[in-house]
Amino acid sequence: MNHTSFSSTPSMQDVQHVGGNIDDFGMDTISLAGPLEAKLAAVKGAGFTQIMLSARDIVGHADGLDAAVAAVRNSGLRVTGFQVLRDFEGLSGHLHEYKIDIAKAMLDMCHALDCRLLLVCSSTSTHATSDLDAIARDLRKLAMLAVPRNIRVAYEGLSWGRTINEFTTAWDIVCRADAPNLGLGFDSFHLLATQTPLEELEILDPSKIFLVQLADFMWNEVRSVEEKIATARHFRVFPGEGVHSEAMAKLVRALHDLGYRGDYSFEVFNDDYQQIPLPVVAERARKSALWLGEEVLRRSVPLPNRMRLKQNRTV
């Protein structure tokens, strides 16, 4: 596979043998085939310290929920987040009550995993209202349900969402809801797909960005809603492997300059990766993390959480 190179930022190939700390970055289990334990081992073996989990990883475990939770805890990996609650907001009547029950079950699983973040993506349902205040009320209700479990809720705007389809409108909803544990889930794929200007990042409060998910893809643009969905679910690649490497580098730098110091997770849905050995996929992710952490961000020891703790002690 060819990697995009440009003068301002070295290509991923240039740093594939560089050592360093990649604690800022984590993998998502959706990039890997096989049972949960094998996924966890591959991610740990590549040097990552955190993992983004899908509910399917947990409920689909052959030995049940408790065994899945034990496997995650025994892996030593920190759980970046738990995904994904879909088509939650904007419903009414029995549909709303149904989704509340689903949300409670997901929050319970999230809590069992000692995970502090639930990802929610914007609704695509034709049964949901487009009223922004109603959407905000539902998300505030979800956030309040998460408070007793000490869980934060990250709201992500899908690029094919019915009403909320850019991070700018997702941010509007987060502000309207005004809940301390409700923030933004930011996915680079949707920014690239909608071609939202990078300058729009300036409206964001970095403390309310709860998660940044990163992925690239192999064509310059997506021309329809159907192509967006197909690309997002089947043809993503790791940062540094696609044709938008320069845009990805600018995005990560812009988020850093804005003040974001949270987690980055590789949200890479790719059917091809499901057909090659897990360690090979995890190594591709490791190279991507090193490219971003050591070359794009120019950090040989990227430990933002520890840096924040040090700053807090001096206040």
Side-chain angles (χ1 to χ4, degrees):
M1 182 179 291
N2 293 326
H3 304 291
T4 303
S5 301
F6 41 93
S7 58
S8 60
T9 303
S11 72
M12 196 170 70
Q13 286 180 326
D14 295 332
V15 295
Q16 60 182 325
H17 298 301
V18 178
N21 194 307
I22 58 174
D23 282 1
D24 285 348
F25 303 92
M27 284 193 70
D28 192 314
T29 54
I30 52 90
S31 301
L32 300 166
L36 176 61
E37 285 84 354
K39 295 180 180 184
L40 297 171
V43 171
K44 187 76 175 286
F48 290 98
T49 59
Q50 56 178 303
I51 185 76
M52 187 81 182
L53 292 174
S54 166
R56 293 180 181 179
D57 293 313
I58 306 305
V59 299
H61 195 283
D63 296 322
L65 176 63
D66 290 344
V69 171
V72 173
R73 294 192 175 215
N74 292 337
S75 73
L77 294 167
R78 175 171 63 86
V79 183
T80 314
F82 191 61
Q83 64 175 0
V84 56
L85 180 59
R86 298 184 183 275
D87 296 326
F88 172 80
E89 73 280 14
L91 300 172
S92 59
H94 69 284
L95 291 176
H96 173 74
E97 294 305 318
Y98 165 76
K99 276 298 183 179
I100 288 292
D101 286 343
I102 299 300
K104 288 178 179 177
M106 292 196 70
L107 286 168
D108 285 343
M109 286 191 290
C110 191
H111 179 70
L113 290 160
D114 196 26
C115 174
R116 298 290 177 248
L117 185 72
L118 175 68
L119 182 66
V120 182
C121 59
S122 61
S123 179
T124 63
S125 174
T126 57
H127 301 285
T129 181
S130 295
D131 184 284
L132 299 185
D133 288 331
I135 292 172
R137 282 196 302 271
D138 284 348
L139 287 170
R140 181 175 176 81
K141 184 175 183 177
L142 176 63
M144 293 304 100
L145 289 172
V147 167
R149 300 169 175 86
N150 194 25
I151 292 171
R152 299 190 301 168
V153 176
Y155 182 57
E156 172 190 335
L158 293 178
S159 54
W160 59 88
R162 180 167 182 255
T163 301
I164 309 302
N165 47 42
E166 294 187 78
F167 77 82
T168 50
T169 47
W171 175 244
D172 182 21
I173 296 300
V174 168
C175 292
R176 288 174 187 245
D178 192 24
N181 64 325
L182 176 67
L184 191 68
F186 189 98
D187 189 324
S188 67
F189 172 85
H190 299 300
L191 174 78
L192 295 172
T194 57
Q195 299 182 334
T196 307
L198 205 58
E199 291 74 20
E200 295 289 347
L201 287 173
E202 295 174 5
I203 69 173
L204 303 179
D205 175 355
S207 70
K208 293 290 280 184
I209 304 173
F210 286 176
L211 176 68
V212 174
Q213 294 177 299
L214 299 174
D216 201 349
F217 52 100
M218 298 299 293
W219 26 89
N220 289 315
E221 59 181 331
V222 285
R223 299 179 178 85
S224 66
V225 171
E226 293 75 19
E227 190 175 14
K228 281 181 188 176
I229 296 172
T231 302
R233 293 178 176 174
H234 304 285
F235 302 112
R236 299 192 196 196
V237 293
F238 292 110
E241 293 185 333
V243 297
H244 304 276
S245 292
E246 186 167 6
M248 293 288 295
K250 287 180 179 178
L251 169 62
V252 172
R253 286 197 195 106
L255 287 166
H256 185 77
D257 291 343
L258 185 69
Y260 179 71
R261 297 295 185 272
D263 293 324
Y264 293 92
S265 179
F266 295 141
E267 173 88 337
V268 179
F269 295 80
N270 187 309
D271 290 353
D272 290 331
Y273 293 169
Q274 297 286 319
Q275 301 183 89
I276 57 180
L278 277 68
V280 175
V281 180
E283 178 61 18
R284 297 176 82 98
R286 175 182 171 275
K287 291 177 182 178
S288 183
L290 292 175
W291 172 64
L292 288 167
E294 299 191 351
E295 298 301 323
V296 173
L297 291 175
R298 299 293 194 269
R299 294 182 300 184
S300 60
V301 186
L303 296 173
N305 292 329
R306 296 182 193 177
M307 289 162 59
R308 279 204 305 275
L309 287 172
K310 183 177 181 181
Q311 291 169 353
N312 288 340
R313 286 197 295 269
T314 61
V315 173

